[in-house]
Amino acid sequence: MLRPTRPAAEVFSTSIGKVRNADLKLRLQDSLPAIKNAANLYAVSVAANDLHNYPAEQTVGAVSRDELVTNYTQRFAGKKGPARFIYDEIKGLPKGGRCPYCDQRDVATLDHVLAKAHYPALAVAPDNLVGSCTECNKAKGDAPPTSLEEVILHPYFENISNERWLWARVNEIAPCSVSFFPVAPSGWPPVLANRLAGQFQLFGLAALYGSQAARELSDIREGLARHYAAGGLAAVRSELTHQWHSRIHNQLNSWKTAFYEALSISDWYCDGGFSHE
C-alpha cells in the first residue's frame, strides 16, 4: 500500500494556517519542532517493532491534547478545513478504495494507528493515518497497545500480502457454509503470527467473510448445477478450480481466493453438496 508522501511538519503547518486566535496560533506554531520530532520517533518506532512503547502524552509544549484533537477534527478533517485536501489524499491511498484492515468494505474515514486521544502529537501525522472503513475504525478503538502483539499490522510498513495466510474450509453439512481462518506461514516469528490472529479476531473477519461467502454460495448454485448435469463432479471441480486460479494471481489473501480453493478440493461439495440449501 502506498505511504503518504507529505512530511508531518508540512501537514501540521497547513492545518494551523488559518487559526485566528493569536495566542493559540503562536502556541501551535511553537509546538512545530515537537510535532516533527514525534513523527520522526514514530517512524523509528515502527521500523524497530517498538510502537507499543511510544510515549503517550496529554500536552505538546504549551498546547493541550484537546486543542490538538480539535485541530484534527476542525482544520484537518473538517469539510472546510485548510488541510482537508490532505485528509482526502490520505483517504484515497488504499488500493481500490477498500479498507486495508478488512479488504472488504469501502474506505470511509481515517484511522489513527495510535489514537489521537493518547498521542495528540501524532493527530495529523500522515504515517499515523490510514484510510479505513467505519466498522474497522470502531472495532479497533482507542486503547493504547501494551505489547507488540496488540499493535495493528501497519499497512504502510508491514506488507504481508505476498505470503499466503488466509484459508477456508467447507462445512460439509446442509446447509453448506464456509469458515475462514488465518494460518501464518511457517517462517513467520511467533509474535507476527499472534498479531495476525489477534487482528483477524479484532476486526471480526471470520464472520464478515463467512457472511459474504453465504451470498456467494447462493449466487453460484444454479451455474454449478448446470456443470454437474453436463459432467458431474469433475466438471464442477474444473469450474471452481478455474475461479480459484483466476483470483489467486490477483489477490493471494482475498476471501474469494480462499473460498474457491476450499470449494474446489471438497469432494462433498463438488459431488452435489452445492445444491443443499
Side-chain angles (χ1 to χ4, degrees), residues 133-266:
C133 67
T134 302
E135 291 83 352
C136 285
N137 182 269
K138 289 180 178 178
K140 182 172 161 292
D142 290 343
T146 60
S147 67
L148 178 56
E149 292 186 350
E150 294 181 4
V151 177
I152 295 298
L153 292 167
H154 203 306
Y156 299 147
F157 299 95
E158 298 179 285
N159 180 14
I160 61 170
S161 64
N162 295 325
E163 294 184 90
R164 177 77 182 274
W165 55 262
L166 180 61
W167 301 83
R169 61 173 171 267
V170 176
N171 300 312
E172 297 180 346
I173 57 173
C176 177
S177 63
V178 177
S179 298
F180 295 84
F181 51 94
V183 177
S186 59
W188 282 21
V191 68
L192 181 57
N194 290 339
R195 289 173 68 196
L196 171 65
Q199 186 162 322
F200 198 84
Q201 181 176 5
L202 174 66
F203 293 127
L205 299 187
L208 175 61
Y209 297 161
S211 66
Q212 296 296 320
R215 285 189 281 272
E216 190 81 357
L217 287 168
S218 178
D219 289 345
I220 66 177
R221 185 176 294 123
E222 183 178 345
L224 293 181
R226 291 196 297 270
H227 284 287
Y228 191 73
L233 181 154
V236 172
R237 173 162 287 153
S238 177
E239 171 61 17
L240 293 171
T241 300
H242 170 73
Q243 295 296 333
W244 168 36
H245 287 169
S246 69
R247 288 167 172 81
I248 197 170
H249 295 296
N250 181 53
Q251 198 170 8
L252 185 60
N253 290 297
S254 76
W255 72 263
K256 282 191 176 181
T257 298
F259 171 83
Y260 278 107
E261 179 194 28
L263 297 185
S264 70
I265 63 177
S266 169

Side-chain angles (χ1 to χ4, degrees), residues 59-107:
T59 61
V60 178
V63 183
S64 71
R65 177 196 65 180
D66 290 346
E67 287 171 327
L68 288 168
V69 170
T70 297
N71 187 59
Y72 171 85
T73 56
Q74 294 185 1
R75 305 182 192 98
F76 182 78
K79 291 290 186 181
K80 296 183 179 180
R84 173 67 193 208
F85 71 99
I86 303 176
Y87 176 100
D88 290 333
E89 284 178 1
I90 298 172
K91 187 179 171 185
L93 289 176
K95 184 178 180 180
R98 290 283 186 90
C99 172
Y101 296 140
C102 66
D103 193 34
Q104 184 60 36
R105 295 178 289 247
D106 292 339
V107 169

